């Protein structure tokens, strides 16, 4: 068979496959494969059609945007087609440089010519939408559909509070004012769901399912949930699902002011009351694009919504017109993606691991897959209920998700790829490490080992938790070393850490004298700590860093916390009945008190004082944002000092921010602070603020 014949056969198969996945993704809102897998198939078809132009067909997914109109929605023909943009698959900095080089080449620019100005913005992971305003009033909202014809979802979109039903009649006054909106204005943007709203929605869905509700399901990701909400035939159901919106472009415009740049239009949309992301910036040349891509990449996991990349657009509208379009894509824009957060792989085994509190967690062992920037081999199934709900079995093909530092998880099973005879997972009723009984308390989702410190898995995890940076900060005490020491019975309880000697350490495998001396020095240094760090390091169930800090403030002394009853503990801010019972039960155990006394006897100490109520703290009620690199303080150290003084340390700048502490390479947060007139401090200013 000739190469062109094989290519034609493969192209036909890819077209059919992509049509199928478009239908699953856009119409049913039930994708079978991750975006990265779809992109791979799409690029393969693109490459074949480029190599063999005769393979182009009018119905190819490369010639039009995927999607169909659902029955039940009126059809809307877009006056200006809603086209997609080209994807830059090189996730490194060179992707931005490649785009800039291509733009300069197509514009005929020389090296001596000035940099091209771009608009850089976030690539939201949601549902594209066209909002049509006539004389400032929203008259229609439509999905992208196939790019030419979409679905009328006006009634559902009216339930989104962020979308104005009527535009502001006048924009910014004075110089640079944009005046009244055009007689006809089509706003293009993305409907999405915030991560916290998504979690709350899924929690409600689980509650409905638990109560026996039929035809209910949890959603795979926020994009899936947002699309399902927009395309509900019943607006009352859509209203129950929290959605958000950001504008990034426009379609038809009649009348109104004249604009010369893309950025000017976005600012006009903002002035007319349409939400536009604060992360939209102007960039000059390739290096500004690289810097933007890297900055957003660093902040990606702290954003309140999902993005899968950034978008670069030539800012000049005249240059956009000059560059034009190629088939389905503008030449003047590109989407520069980040590493995929979802990928397809196979479950090779399911094991159960024991955590430091005795929690038993089922974990899927996976065929290695690159996702979220790293190679993933394990993914959590959380607990028995989740494992059963997702029905994950050995041999299944699954979608795995990893975002930032979040533990990878299996989000869905590709059911039609399941092998015959695959057996459902069942949770063991004994601890896989020590053989003790595993019990599930009433109202709890998790099984827990009853072996306590008898269980070596819990000892190891308890020691690692105690030694971590945010607790006792014992540098050099890592997982492999703890495994050795526990397995060799060198450490049975936490105080044994401070009884280690040089000879005993040197005798351990791969432990030289210098490493041993460094560890002993780190242990000695860790003895001088703070009460919040010590409390957190004890590993009391439900007690995180914030609760440990609140307990230390409220009681002032450890003995007072140890002797407190449940009612007294409930007086601590944000401590509820479950947390209070857990703290009280921990300190009622004689062996826990004995461990604490032994640690004190080994020299572990901290400053204690009188109880402090939040209102008495010098920075009570103040909100502070940290940005950039400080000369002598790490981000964690600065945050700890601020929180100890009663301040709330936030991740983003707003009108409610009282101070921004800025170091080297501060970035967009510093710009935002200056724009809003927020007080900006350097490290010396921070220390003066804390001292005052």
């Amino acid at each position: 068979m000739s190469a062109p014949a094989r290519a034609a056969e493969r192209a036909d198969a890819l077209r059919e496959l992509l049509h199928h996945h478009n239908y699953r993704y856009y119409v049913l809102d039930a994708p079978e494969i991750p975006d990265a897998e779809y992109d791979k198939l799409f690029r393969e078809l693109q490459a074949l059609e480029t190599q063999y132009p005769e393979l182009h067909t009018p119905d190819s997914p490369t010639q039009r945007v995927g999607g169909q109109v659902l029955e039940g929605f009126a059809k809307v023909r877009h006056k200006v087609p809603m086209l997609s943009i080209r994807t830059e698959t090189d996730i490194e900095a060179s992707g931005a440089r490649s785009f800039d080089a291509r733009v300069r080449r197509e514009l005929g620019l020389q090296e001596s010519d000035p940099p091209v100005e771009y608009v850089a913005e976030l690539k939201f992971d949601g549902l594209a939408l066209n909002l049509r305003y006539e004389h400032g009033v929203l008259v229609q909202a439509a999905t992208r559909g196939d790019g030419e014809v979409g679905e009328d979802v006006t009634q559902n979109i009216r339930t989104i509070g962020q979308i104005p039903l009527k535009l502001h009649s006048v924009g910014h006054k004075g110089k640079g004012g944009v005046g009244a909106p055009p007689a006809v204005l089509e706003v293009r943007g993305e409907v999405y769901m915030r991560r916290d709203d998504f979690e709350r929605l899924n929690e409600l869905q689980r509650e409905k399912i638990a109560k026996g509700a039929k035809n209910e399901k949890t959603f795979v990701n926020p994009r899936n949930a947002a699309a399902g909400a927009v395309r509900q035939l019943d607006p009352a159901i859509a209203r129950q699902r929290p959605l958000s919106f950001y504008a990034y472009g426009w379609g038809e415009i009649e009348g109104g002011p004249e604009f010369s740049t893309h950025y000017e239009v976005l600012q006009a949309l903002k002035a007319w009351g349409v939400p536009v992301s604060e992360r939209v910036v102007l960039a000059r040349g390739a290096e500004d694009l690289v810097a933007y891509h890297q900055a957003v990449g660093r902040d990606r996991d702290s954003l309140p919504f999902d993005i899968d990349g950034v978008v670069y657009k030539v800012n000049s509208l005249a240059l956009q017109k000059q560059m034009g379009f190629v088939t389905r894509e503008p030449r003047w824009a590109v989407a520069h993606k980040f590493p995929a957060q979802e990928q397809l792989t196979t479950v090779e085994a399911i094991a159960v691991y024991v955590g430091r509190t005795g929690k038993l967690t089922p974990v899927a062992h996976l065929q290695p897959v690159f996702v979220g920037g790293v190679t993933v081999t394990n993914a959590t199934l959380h607990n028995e209920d989740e494992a059963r709900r997702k029905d994950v079995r050995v041999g299944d093909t699954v979608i795995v998700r990893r975002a930032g530092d979040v533990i990878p998880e299996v989000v869905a099973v590709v059911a039609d790829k399941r092998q015959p005879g695959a057996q459902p997972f069942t949770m063991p009723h004994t601890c896989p490490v020590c053989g003790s009984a595993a019990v599930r308390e009433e109202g709890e989702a998790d099984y827990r080992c009853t072996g306590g410190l008898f269980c070596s898995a819990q000892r190891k995890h308890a020691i690692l938790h105690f030694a971590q940076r945010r607790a006792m900060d014992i540098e050099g005490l890592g997982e492999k070393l703890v495994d050795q020491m526990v397995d060799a019975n060198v450490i049975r309880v936490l105080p044994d850490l401070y009884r280690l000697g040089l000879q005993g350490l040197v005798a351990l495998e791969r432990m030289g004298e210098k490493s041993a001396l460094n560890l002993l020095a780190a242990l000695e240094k860790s003895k001088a700590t703070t009460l919040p760090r010590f409390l957190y390091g004890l590993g009391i169930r439900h007690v995180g860093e914030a609760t440990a800090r609140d307990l230390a403030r409220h009681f002032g002394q450890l003995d007072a916390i140890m002797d407190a009853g449940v009612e007294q503990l409930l007086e601590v801010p944000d401590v509820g009945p479950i947390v209070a019972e857990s703290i009280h039960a921990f300190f009622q155990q004689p062996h826990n008190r004995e461990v604490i006394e032994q640690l004190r006897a080994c020299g572990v100490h901290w400053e204690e004082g009188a109880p402090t109520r939040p209102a008495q703290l010098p920075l009570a009620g103040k909100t502070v944002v940290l940005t950039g690199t400080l000369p002598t303080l790490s981000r964690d150290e600065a945050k700890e000092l601020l929180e100890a003084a009663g301040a709330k340390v936030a991740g983003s700048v707003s009108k409610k921010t009282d101070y921004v502490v800025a170091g080297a390479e501060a970035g967009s947060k510093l710009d935002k602070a200056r724009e809003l007139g927020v007080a900006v401090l350097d490290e010396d200013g921070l220390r003066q603020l804390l001292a005052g």
Side-chain angles (χ1 to χ4, degrees):
M1 185 182 292
S2 65
R6 287 198 301 271
E9 186 177 313
R10 179 57 179 165
D12 286 341
L14 286 168
R15 277 191 285 272
E16 288 300 313
L17 197 55
L18 290 168
H19 281 313
H20 168 76
H21 289 304
N22 277 338
Y23 178 78
R24 298 285 306 181
Y25 188 87
Y26 290 101
V27 179
L28 301 183
D29 296 321
E32 290 180 343
I33 60 174
D35 289 351
E37 192 74 14
Y38 179 92
D39 290 343
K40 191 186 302 181
L41 297 171
F42 188 94
R43 289 195 298 271
E44 185 183 352
L45 179 58
Q46 260 187 331
L48 283 172
E49 291 179 347
T50 300
Q51 186 176 1
Y52 304 109
E54 66 270 23
L55 295 182
H56 278 285
T57 62
D59 66 338
S60 173
T62 64
Q63 303 302 302
R64 58 189 292 172
V65 180
Q68 297 178 16
V69 177
L70 283 175
E71 292 183 9
F73 287 111
K75 295 181 180 180
V76 175
R77 180 166 291 281
H78 300 301
K79 295 292 182 68
V80 177
M82 293 185 71
L83 303 179
S84 62
I85 58 177
R86 175 177 177 172
T87 298
E88 176 56 64
T89 57
D90 185 344
I91 61 175
E92 302 301 328
S94 53
R97 295 190 181 101
S98 296
F99 173 64
D100 178 64
R102 187 165 62 250
V103 169
R104 295 182 67 83
R105 187 167 57 251
E106 293 192 10
L107 291 175
L109 299 178
Q110 305 300 314
E111 283 189 22
S112 58
D113 290 323
V116 176
E117 186 173 67
Y118 300 97
V119 171
E121 58 193 42
L122 305 180
K123 185 178 184 299
F124 298 97
D125 195 9
L127 185 72
L129 198 68
N130 185 76
L131 305 174
R132 184 177 178 87
Y133 291 88
E134 295 181 358
H135 302 290
V137 177
L138 179 67
V139 297
Q140 188 181 74
T143 62
R144 173 160 40 190
D146 64 3
E148 299 285 343
V149 178
E151 306 152 358
D152 189 331
V153 291
T154 309
Q155 295 307 310
N156 289 349
I157 293 308
R158 288 178 180 275
T159 68
I160 303 176
Q162 276 190 313
I163 294 179
L165 300 180
K166 185 177 181 180
L167 299 176
H168 298 169
S169 59
V170 178
H172 297 301
K173 295 181 180 179
K175 187 178 179 181
V178 296
V184 174
L185 172 65
E186 288 188 343
V187 178
R188 301 272 164 89
E190 198 91 355
V191 173
Y192 65 93
M193 188 173 289
R194 290 171 54 96
R195 290 173 184 154
D196 52 358
D197 288 333
F198 172 72
E199 293 300 331
R200 281 193 289 270
L201 173 62
N202 261 353
E203 188 59 37
L204 290 173
Q205 293 299 105
R206 292 187 192 100
E207 290 176 6
K208 291 178 183 178
I209 293 168
K211 292 177 181 177
K214 296 181 179 180
N215 301 320
E216 294 289 353
K217 64 175 183 178
T218 55
F219 296 92
V220 172
N221 52 45
R223 189 268 166 205
N224 180 245
V230 169
R231 302 165 84 176
Q232 274 289 333
L233 291 174
D234 183 356
I237 296 177
R239 190 176 294 112
Q240 297 169 10
R241 299 184 183 176
L243 298 175
S244 301
F245 176 82
Y246 273 135
Y248 53 69
W250 61 94
E252 183 182 15
I253 297 181
E254 288 184 7
E258 294 291 327
F259 298 105
S260 61
T261 68
H262 195 100
Y263 190 77
E264 285 177 1
V265 182
L266 294 182
Q267 297 312 300
L269 294 179
K270 186 187 295 187
W272 290 324
V274 178
V276 176
S277 171
E278 295 177 354
R279 297 299 294 254
V280 174
V281 301
L282 286 174
R284 286 177 57 80
E287 295 313 307
D288 276 7
L289 296 181
V290 169
Y292 183 79
H293 185 263
Q294 292 174 342
V296 173
R298 288 192 297 269
D299 295 345
R300 181 186 187 187
D301 301 318
S302 62
L303 294 173
F305 42 75
D306 283 352
I307 62 171
D308 56 6
V310 294
V311 177
Y312 313 133
K313 299 172 181 175
V314 172
N315 191 31
S316 166
L317 298 184
L319 292 182
Q320 287 186 10
K321 185 176 181 180
Q322 179 182 333
M323 294 183 71
F325 296 79
V326 53
T327 58
R328 63 196 290 275
E329 302 164 342
R331 297 178 187 270
W332 43 265
V334 73
H336 192 180
K337 288 209 168 185
F338 293 126
Q341 293 181 306
E342 291 184 356
Q343 285 286 12
L344 219 56
T345 189
T346 304
V347 177
E348 296 181 337
I350 298 176
V352 175
Y353 288 82
V354 184
R356 65 178 177 84
T357 61
K359 174 186 172 183
L360 272 59
T361 302
V363 173
H365 290 183
L366 308 169
Q367 183 178 355
V369 61
F370 191 77
V371 55
V374 300
T375 298
V376 170
T377 56
N378 297 316
T380 181
L381 298 176
H382 296 292
N383 53 50
E384 182 182 40
D385 291 345
E386 280 292 285
R388 284 183 175 177
R389 182 180 67 78
K390 293 173 180 173
D391 192 22
V392 180
R393 307 183 186 188
V394 175
D396 278 352
T397 298
V398 295
I399 297 174
V400 176
R401 179 176 177 81
R402 180 188 182 273
D405 293 328
V406 176
I407 298 171
E409 66 171 334
V410 173
V411 294
V413 173
V414 182
D416 60 0
K417 292 190 176 183
R418 173 166 287 160
Q419 301 299 313
Q423 296 299 308
F425 168 76
T426 56
M427 197 74 172
H429 291 268
T430 57
C431 173
V433 174
C434 71
S436 301
V439 299
R440 180 176 178 176
E441 297 174 7
E442 186 176 351
E444 291 280 333
D446 302 313
Y447 278 86
R448 294 184 184 277
C449 168
T450 59
L453 291 178
F454 169 72
C455 179
S456 62
Q458 292 184 64
R459 284 208 300 273
K460 291 175 182 177
H461 284 276
I463 294 166
L464 286 169
H465 177 77
F466 183 78
Q468 69 166 285
R469 182 166 52 88
R470 296 180 182 274
M472 300 300 287
D473 193 18
I474 305 173
E475 190 174 346
L477 191 59
E479 187 173 350
K480 291 182 179 178
L481 182 56
V482 169
D483 283 346
Q484 274 195 74
M485 291 192 290
V486 171
D487 291 343
N489 281 327
V490 174
I491 296 178
R492 293 181 176 84
V493 289
L494 291 177
D496 288 343
L497 284 170
Y498 296 100
R499 300 179 183 127
L500 293 170
L502 179 60
Q503 296 307 314
L505 283 173
V506 171
L508 293 172
E509 186 180 349
R510 293 189 299 277
M511 175 63 77
E513 183 172 337
K514 184 177 180 180
S515 297
L517 287 170
N518 288 339
L519 177 58
L520 290 173
L523 285 162
E524 188 63 31
K525 181 182 176 182
S526 75
K527 290 180 181 179
T529 185
T530 65
L531 182 52
R533 281 178 172 268
F534 183 76
L535 283 169
Y536 176 59
L538 291 176
I540 305 168
R541 194 170 172 217
H542 302 305
V543 175
E545 293 174 80
T547 302
R549 186 178 62 248
D550 291 342
L551 286 167
R553 283 178 185 166
H554 186 86
F555 290 99
Q557 300 182 1
L558 178 60
D559 288 343
I561 301 171
M562 292 169 65
D563 295 336
V566 172
E567 292 300 322
Q568 292 172 288
L569 290 166
L570 286 171
E571 295 174 5
V572 180
D574 298 324
V575 171
I578 293 175
V579 179
E581 289 285 357
S582 178
I583 297 167
H584 184 257
F586 180 88
F587 287 119
Q588 290 304 299
Q589 292 292 329
H591 68 262
N592 288 333
R593 287 177 172 259
E594 177 63 23
V595 164
I596 291 168
E597 291 310 310
Q598 288 185 34
L599 288 169
R600 280 172 157 169
C602 289
V604 177
H605 63 280
W606 52 86
E607 287 187 12
E608 294 190 330
T612 303
R613 298 298 179 259
Q616 299 173 313
L617 297 167
L619 295 183
K622 301 295 184 182
T623 299
V624 183
V625 173
L626 297 167
T627 181
T629 304
L630 299 177
T632 65
L633 289 173
S634 69
R635 183 72 63 90
D636 286 340
E637 288 169 339
K639 181 180 179 183
E640 189 172 349
L641 289 171
L642 284 163
E643 289 177 338
K648 174 188 175 184
V649 179
S652 58
V653 181
S654 71
K655 292 180 181 178
K656 296 181 180 179
T657 305
D658 295 290
Y659 302 99
V660 168
V661 180
E665 301 178 2
S668 61
K669 292 178 183 177
L670 178 58
D671 296 336
K672 183 66 175 178
R674 288 169 175 163
E675 179 186 331
L676 296 176
V678 175
V680 178
L681 307 174
D682 58 12
E683 184 176 316
D684 289 339
L686 168 62
R687 292 188 184 278
Q688 291 173 21
L689 180 68
L690 293 167

